[in-house]
mmCIF file of all heavy atoms in Angstrom:
data_model
loop_
_atom_site.group_PDB
_atom_site.id
_atom_site.type_symbol
_atom_site.label_atom_id
_atom_site.label_comp_id
_atom_site.label_asym_id
_atom_site.label_seq_id
_atom_site.Cartn_x
_atom_site.Cartn_y
_atom_site.Cartn_z
ATOM 1 N N TYR B 56 -216.990 136.125 -267.226
ATOM 2 C CA TYR B 56 -215.962 135.475 -268.029
ATOM 3 C C TYR B 56 -216.581 134.294 -268.753
ATOM 4 O O TYR B 56 -217.266 133.466 -268.145
ATOM 5 C CB TYR B 56 -214.803 135.000 -267.153
ATOM 6 C CG TYR B 56 -213.790 134.175 -267.905
ATOM 7 C CD1 TYR B 56 -212.953 134.769 -268.841
ATOM 8 C CD2 TYR B 56 -213.692 132.790 -267.708
ATOM 9 C CE1 TYR B 56 -212.033 134.022 -269.549
ATOM 10 C CE2 TYR B 56 -212.774 132.049 -268.409
ATOM 11 C CZ TYR B 56 -211.942 132.666 -269.324
ATOM 12 O OH TYR B 56 -211.037 131.922 -270.033
ATOM 13 N N SER B 57 -216.391 134.252 -270.058
ATOM 14 C CA SER B 57 -216.883 133.179 -270.907
ATOM 15 C C SER B 57 -218.409 133.093 -270.843
ATOM 16 O O SER B 57 -219.090 134.082 -270.618
ATOM 17 C CB SER B 57 -216.220 131.855 -270.510
ATOM 18 O OG SER B 57 -216.430 130.887 -271.525
ATOM 19 N N SER B 58 -218.967 131.937 -271.018
ATOM 20 C CA SER B 58 -220.417 131.797 -271.075
ATOM 21 C C SER B 58 -221.014 131.605 -269.692
ATOM 22 O O SER B 58 -220.319 131.305 -268.730
ATOM 23 C CB SER B 58 -220.786 130.582 -271.946
ATOM 24 O OG SER B 58 -220.660 130.875 -273.295
ATOM 25 N N GLY B 59 -222.333 131.776 -269.617
ATOM 26 C CA GLY B 59 -223.017 131.504 -268.371
ATOM 27 C C GLY B 59 -223.747 132.704 -267.834
ATOM 28 O O GLY B 59 -223.850 133.741 -268.480
ATOM 29 N N ASN B 60 -224.289 132.535 -266.635
ATOM 30 C CA ASN B 60 -225.053 133.573 -265.960
ATOM 31 C C ASN B 60 -224.311 134.068 -264.734
ATOM 32 O O ASN B 60 -223.534 133.334 -264.120
ATOM 33 C CB ASN B 60 -226.409 133.026 -265.510
ATOM 34 C CG ASN B 60 -227.301 132.656 -266.670
ATOM 35 O OD1 ASN B 60 -226.930 132.826 -267.828
ATOM 36 N ND2 ASN B 60 -228.459 132.124 -266.370
ATOM 37 N N LYS B 61 -224.587 135.303 -264.387
ATOM 38 C CA LYS B 61 -224.056 135.864 -263.143
ATOM 39 C C LYS B 61 -225.120 136.763 -262.557
ATOM 40 O O LYS B 61 -225.723 137.567 -263.278
ATOM 41 C CB LYS B 61 -222.775 136.655 -263.414
ATOM 42 C CG LYS B 61 -222.058 137.105 -262.153
ATOM 43 C CD LYS B 61 -220.699 137.672 -262.525
ATOM 44 C CE LYS B 61 -219.877 137.997 -261.298
ATOM 45 N NZ LYS B 61 -218.532 138.507 -261.658
ATOM 46 N N GLU B 62 -225.358 136.626 -261.269
ATOM 47 C CA GLU B 62 -226.392 137.412 -260.611
ATOM 48 C C GLU B 62 -225.783 138.261 -259.508
ATOM 49 O O GLU B 62 -224.897 137.802 -258.771
ATOM 50 C CB GLU B 62 -227.448 136.471 -260.027
ATOM 51 C CG GLU B 62 -228.718 137.153 -259.570
ATOM 52 C CD GLU B 62 -229.806 136.146 -259.192
ATOM 53 O OE1 GLU B 62 -230.035 135.207 -259.969
ATOM 54 O OE2 GLU B 62 -230.379 136.296 -258.102
ATOM 55 N N ASP B 63 -226.276 139.497 -259.402
ATOM 56 C CA ASP B 63 -225.823 140.386 -258.333
ATOM 57 C C ASP B 63 -226.999 141.246 -257.933
ATOM 58 O O ASP B 63 -227.317 142.217 -258.602
ATOM 59 C CB ASP B 63 -224.658 141.254 -258.817
ATOM 60 C CG ASP B 63 -224.100 142.138 -257.709
ATOM 61 O OD1 ASP B 63 -224.573 142.044 -256.555
ATOM 62 O OD2 ASP B 63 -223.185 142.932 -257.998
ATOM 63 N N GLY B 64 -227.675 140.828 -256.872
ATOM 64 C CA GLY B 64 -228.850 141.567 -256.428
ATOM 65 C C GLY B 64 -229.944 141.531 -257.475
ATOM 66 O O GLY B 64 -230.372 140.475 -257.912
ATOM 67 N N ARG B 65 -230.376 142.706 -257.915
ATOM 68 C CA ARG B 65 -231.447 142.783 -258.912
ATOM 69 C C ARG B 65 -230.940 142.603 -260.347
ATOM 70 O O ARG B 65 -231.740 142.607 -261.277
ATOM 71 C CB ARG B 65 -232.151 144.142 -258.800
ATOM 72 C CG ARG B 65 -232.847 144.370 -257.468
ATOM 73 C CD ARG B 65 -233.618 145.696 -257.444
ATOM 74 N NE ARG B 65 -232.753 146.857 -257.562
ATOM 75 C CZ ARG B 65 -232.720 147.678 -258.605
ATOM 76 N NH1 ARG B 65 -233.501 147.459 -259.649
ATOM 77 N NH2 ARG B 65 -231.911 148.727 -258.620
ATOM 78 N N PHE B 66 -229.642 142.469 -260.515
ATOM 79 C CA PHE B 66 -229.039 142.412 -261.843
ATOM 80 C C PHE B 66 -228.593 140.986 -262.192
ATOM 81 O O PHE B 66 -227.996 140.309 -261.367
ATOM 82 C CB PHE B 66 -227.833 143.345 -261.916
ATOM 83 C CG PHE B 66 -228.172 144.789 -261.677
ATOM 84 C CD1 PHE B 66 -228.182 145.312 -260.398
ATOM 85 C CD2 PHE B 66 -228.485 145.627 -262.738
ATOM 86 C CE1 PHE B 66 -228.504 146.650 -260.170
ATOM 87 C CE2 PHE B 66 -228.809 146.959 -262.522
ATOM 88 C CZ PHE B 66 -228.817 147.469 -261.235
ATOM 89 N N THR B 67 -228.895 140.571 -263.424
ATOM 90 C CA THR B 67 -228.444 139.281 -263.934
ATOM 91 C C THR B 67 -227.829 139.483 -265.302
ATOM 92 O O THR B 67 -228.449 140.098 -266.176
ATOM 93 C CB THR B 67 -229.600 138.277 -264.053
ATOM 94 O OG1 THR B 67 -230.183 138.058 -262.767
ATOM 95 C CG2 THR B 67 -229.100 136.948 -264.608
ATOM 96 N N ALA B 68 -226.605 138.991 -265.463
ATOM 97 C CA ALA B 68 -225.932 139.048 -266.757
ATOM 98 C C ALA B 68 -225.869 137.645 -267.340
ATOM 99 O O ALA B 68 -225.598 136.680 -266.625
ATOM 100 C CB ALA B 68 -224.533 139.624 -266.604
ATOM 101 N N GLN B 69 -226.140 137.565 -268.632
ATOM 102 C CA GLN B 69 -226.077 136.274 -269.326
ATOM 103 C C GLN B 69 -225.194 136.400 -270.551
ATOM 104 O O GLN B 69 -225.211 137.426 -271.243
ATOM 105 C CB GLN B 69 -227.480 135.841 -269.774
ATOM 106 C CG GLN B 69 -228.409 135.456 -268.654
ATOM 107 C CD GLN B 69 -229.755 134.955 -269.153
ATOM 108 O OE1 GLN B 69 -230.083 135.055 -270.326
ATOM 109 N NE2 GLN B 69 -230.549 134.400 -268.231
ATOM 110 N N VAL B 70 -224.428 135.345 -270.814
ATOM 111 C CA VAL B 70 -223.578 135.305 -271.990
ATOM 112 C C VAL B 70 -223.842 134.014 -272.745
ATOM 113 O O VAL B 70 -223.797 132.932 -272.161
ATOM 114 C CB VAL B 70 -222.083 135.377 -271.610
ATOM 115 C CG1 VAL B 70 -221.207 135.201 -272.850
ATOM 116 C CG2 VAL B 70 -221.771 136.685 -270.914
ATOM 117 N N ASP B 71 -224.120 134.136 -274.033
ATOM 118 C CA ASP B 71 -224.283 132.972 -274.902
ATOM 119 C C ASP B 71 -223.243 133.097 -276.015
ATOM 120 O O ASP B 71 -223.479 133.765 -277.022
ATOM 121 C CB ASP B 71 -225.703 132.931 -275.468
ATOM 122 C CG ASP B 71 -225.945 131.715 -276.341
ATOM 123 O OD1 ASP B 71 -224.969 131.023 -276.680
ATOM 124 O OD2 ASP B 71 -227.101 131.458 -276.695
ATOM 125 N N LYS B 72 -222.098 132.474 -275.822
ATOM 126 C CA LYS B 72 -221.013 132.625 -276.792
ATOM 127 C C LYS B 72 -221.353 131.933 -278.108
ATOM 128 O O LYS B 72 -220.883 132.344 -279.171
ATOM 129 C CB LYS B 72 -219.704 132.075 -276.233
ATOM 130 C CG LYS B 72 -219.119 132.937 -275.123
ATOM 131 C CD LYS B 72 -217.740 132.459 -274.721
ATOM 132 C CE LYS B 72 -216.697 132.824 -275.746
ATOM 133 N NZ LYS B 72 -215.339 132.414 -275.338
ATOM 134 N N SER B 73 -222.152 130.896 -278.063
ATOM 135 C CA SER B 73 -222.481 130.193 -279.311
ATOM 136 C C SER B 73 -223.293 131.090 -280.241
ATOM 137 O O SER B 73 -223.175 131.019 -281.456
ATOM 138 C CB SER B 73 -223.233 128.895 -279.018
ATOM 139 O OG SER B 73 -224.462 129.175 -278.352
ATOM 140 N N SER B 74 -224.100 131.965 -279.641
ATOM 141 C CA SER B 74 -224.915 132.890 -280.444
ATOM 142 C C SER B 74 -224.288 134.275 -280.527
ATOM 143 O O SER B 74 -224.835 135.160 -281.193
ATOM 144 C CB SER B 74 -226.321 133.022 -279.838
ATOM 145 O OG SER B 74 -226.964 131.772 -279.777
ATOM 146 N N LYS B 75 -223.179 134.481 -279.818
ATOM 147 C CA LYS B 75 -222.512 135.791 -279.762
ATOM 148 C C LYS B 75 -223.516 136.852 -279.301
ATOM 149 O O LYS B 75 -223.737 137.876 -279.974
ATOM 150 C CB LYS B 75 -221.885 136.167 -281.104
ATOM 151 C CG LYS B 75 -220.763 135.224 -281.540
ATOM 152 C CD LYS B 75 -220.032 135.789 -282.744
ATOM 153 C CE LYS B 75 -218.887 134.918 -283.181
ATOM 154 N NZ LYS B 75 -219.295 133.623 -283.742
ATOM 155 N N TYR B 76 -224.089 136.608 -278.130
ATOM 156 C CA TYR B 76 -225.203 137.421 -277.639
ATOM 157 C C TYR B 76 -225.075 137.520 -276.129
ATOM 158 O O TYR B 76 -224.883 136.512 -275.461
ATOM 159 C CB TYR B 76 -226.496 136.686 -278.015
ATOM 160 C CG TYR B 76 -227.778 137.397 -277.745
ATOM 161 C CD1 TYR B 76 -228.358 138.214 -278.717
ATOM 162 C CD2 TYR B 76 -228.449 137.216 -276.536
ATOM 163 C CE1 TYR B 76 -229.565 138.847 -278.482
ATOM 164 C CE2 TYR B 76 -229.658 137.843 -276.296
ATOM 165 C CZ TYR B 76 -230.216 138.649 -277.274
ATOM 166 O OH TYR B 76 -231.411 139.267 -277.044
ATOM 167 N N ILE B 77 -225.146 138.757 -275.599
ATOM 168 C CA ILE B 77 -225.127 138.922 -274.152
ATOM 169 C C ILE B 77 -226.335 139.740 -273.720
ATOM 170 O O ILE B 77 -226.852 140.553 -274.504
ATOM 171 C CB ILE B 77 -223.816 139.560 -273.634
ATOM 172 C CG1 ILE B 77 -223.721 141.039 -274.023
ATOM 173 C CG2 ILE B 77 -222.615 138.789 -274.158
ATOM 174 C CD1 ILE B 77 -222.580 141.763 -273.318
ATOM 175 N N SER B 78 -226.757 139.511 -272.486
ATOM 176 C CA SER B 78 -227.948 140.185 -271.975
ATOM 177 C C SER B 78 -227.717 140.679 -270.557
ATOM 178 O O SER B 78 -226.908 140.114 -269.818
ATOM 179 C CB SER B 78 -229.155 139.229 -271.950
ATOM 180 O OG SER B 78 -229.432 138.703 -273.221
ATOM 181 N N LEU B 79 -228.459 141.707 -270.197
ATOM 182 C CA LEU B 79 -228.509 142.202 -268.829
ATOM 183 C C LEU B 79 -229.977 142.376 -268.467
ATOM 184 O O LEU B 79 -230.731 142.999 -269.215
ATOM 185 C CB LEU B 79 -227.782 143.531 -268.680
ATOM 186 C CG LEU B 79 -227.845 144.159 -267.280
ATOM 187 C CD1 LEU B 79 -226.978 143.357 -266.297
ATOM 188 C CD2 LEU B 79 -227.382 145.621 -267.298
#
Side-chain angles (χ1 to χ4, degrees):
Chain B
Y56 173 71
S57 194
S58 283
N60 294 359
K61 188 171 186 178
E62 192 172 313
D63 183 3
R65 297 184 296 112
F66 299 88
T67 300
Q69 291 183 350
V70 175
D71 182 349
K72 289 187 75 178
S73 61
S74 301
K75 296 190 178 68
Y76 186 91
I77 71 169
S78 302
L79 177 71

